[in-house]
Amino acid sequence: MLFAALMLSGATAAQTPANALTDFKSYTRDLTSLSGSFTQEVRDKNGRVSRQSAGTFAIARPGKFRFVYEKPYKQTIVSDGTTVWLHDEDLNQVTIKKLGETVTEQPLSLLLDASAADKLFDLKAAESQGSIGFVEAKPKKADAAFSDLRVAIVALQPRELTWRDALQNTNTIRFETLNKNGKLAADAFSFTPPKGVDVLKQ
């Protein structure tokens, strides 16, 4: 994986499986907010890249998030912990729906929900690669919508999430320039549909 290769090129200290799990729990234990930039990639079951995107994000516990996709299409997804807004600029459309409990059944719940790690997943350390540690998170729910969830820990930070979805696609989110528990804008998790857009409620 390119990300792993780049990180290994600057590795100075080896990571151990035990340390990776300890580092992940330590990092998320006092996590209240997290922001930065991200890239996202989806590969089909044959390993071919079917989608790539990039943008910025901010999350705050419990259940609040804002993902702004800049490439390849401009989209904004915002949740205030109760409602989710999805603004698709190309379609000039905003979809509104209730967050409900679905957030706890998603890979990002490891970061969005303080109780998710132990409540929803069986966590264990996996084989490390140089300075990169890995934590595997197996959903306790038998009919979970994803499997093979894995977190890459670099320099004490969760820098990459990978998982396999129901269609056997491999999804990867890589985080960069992470800012933990930093100050976020007061309106970071609110959203007002722009004038003239079509609004759909689900």
Side-chain angles (χ1 to χ4, degrees):
M1 175 180 302
L2 177 59
F3 174 79
L6 289 173
M7 296 309 302
L8 280 171
S9 67
T12 57
Q15 173 68 284
T16 68
N19 286 344
L21 185 55
T22 299
D23 291 344
F24 176 74
K25 289 186 174 182
S26 177
Y27 190 89
T28 56
R29 186 178 298 116
D30 65 342
L31 180 66
T32 58
S33 68
L34 190 66
S35 60
S37 59
F38 73 92
T39 59
Q40 188 170 354
E41 179 183 271
V42 179
R43 290 180 178 269
D44 63 24
K45 60 183 180 180
N46 296 314
R48 293 188 295 264
V49 176
S50 59
R51 187 164 68 250
Q52 290 180 310
S53 52
T56 59
F57 78 96
I59 65 175
R61 290 176 166 179
K64 298 178 181 180
F65 56 86
R66 174 183 288 266
F67 279 79
V68 179
Y69 288 81
E70 300 291 348
K71 299 177 181 180
Y73 310 109
K74 288 186 176 295
Q75 288 186 328
T76 300
I77 306 174
V78 182
S79 169
D80 61 2
T82 302
T83 302
V84 179
W85 296 268
L86 193 162
H87 179 205
D88 190 313
E89 293 191 24
D90 287 343
L91 295 178
N92 196 35
Q93 177 178 292
V94 172
T95 302
I96 303 174
K97 62 181 179 180
K98 292 296 183 182
L99 182 65
E101 296 182 356
T102 57
V103 68
T104 63
E105 299 177 4
Q106 302 300 321
L108 280 174
S109 63
L110 280 171
L111 301 177
L112 288 168
D113 187 337
S115 64
D118 292 324
K119 181 181 178 181
L120 302 174
F121 301 95
D122 288 320
L123 299 176
K124 71 175 184 178
E127 188 67 27
S128 58
Q129 297 179 15
S131 64
I132 304 177
F134 295 95
V135 174
E136 293 180 351
K138 182 179 180 180
K140 292 182 178 180
K141 189 176 180 181
D143 58 346
F146 61 92
S147 62
D148 302 325
L149 175 59
R150 192 154 112 150
V151 185
I153 308 296
V154 180
L156 308 181
Q157 296 181 323
R159 296 290 297 275
E160 180 179 285
L161 268 66
T162 61
W163 68 92
R164 196 178 303 277
D165 61 28
L167 298 176
Q168 297 303 300
N169 297 312
T170 298
N171 299 259
T172 302
I173 294 182
R174 300 181 181 104
F175 300 117
E176 300 177 11
T177 59
L178 290 178
N179 181 16
K180 178 184 178 183
N181 296 342
K183 186 176 181 180
L184 300 175
D187 61 350
F189 306 108
S190 62
F191 185 84
T192 301
K195 291 183 179 179
V197 303
D198 295 326
V199 177
L200 305 176
K201 293 185 177 181
Q202 295 184 348

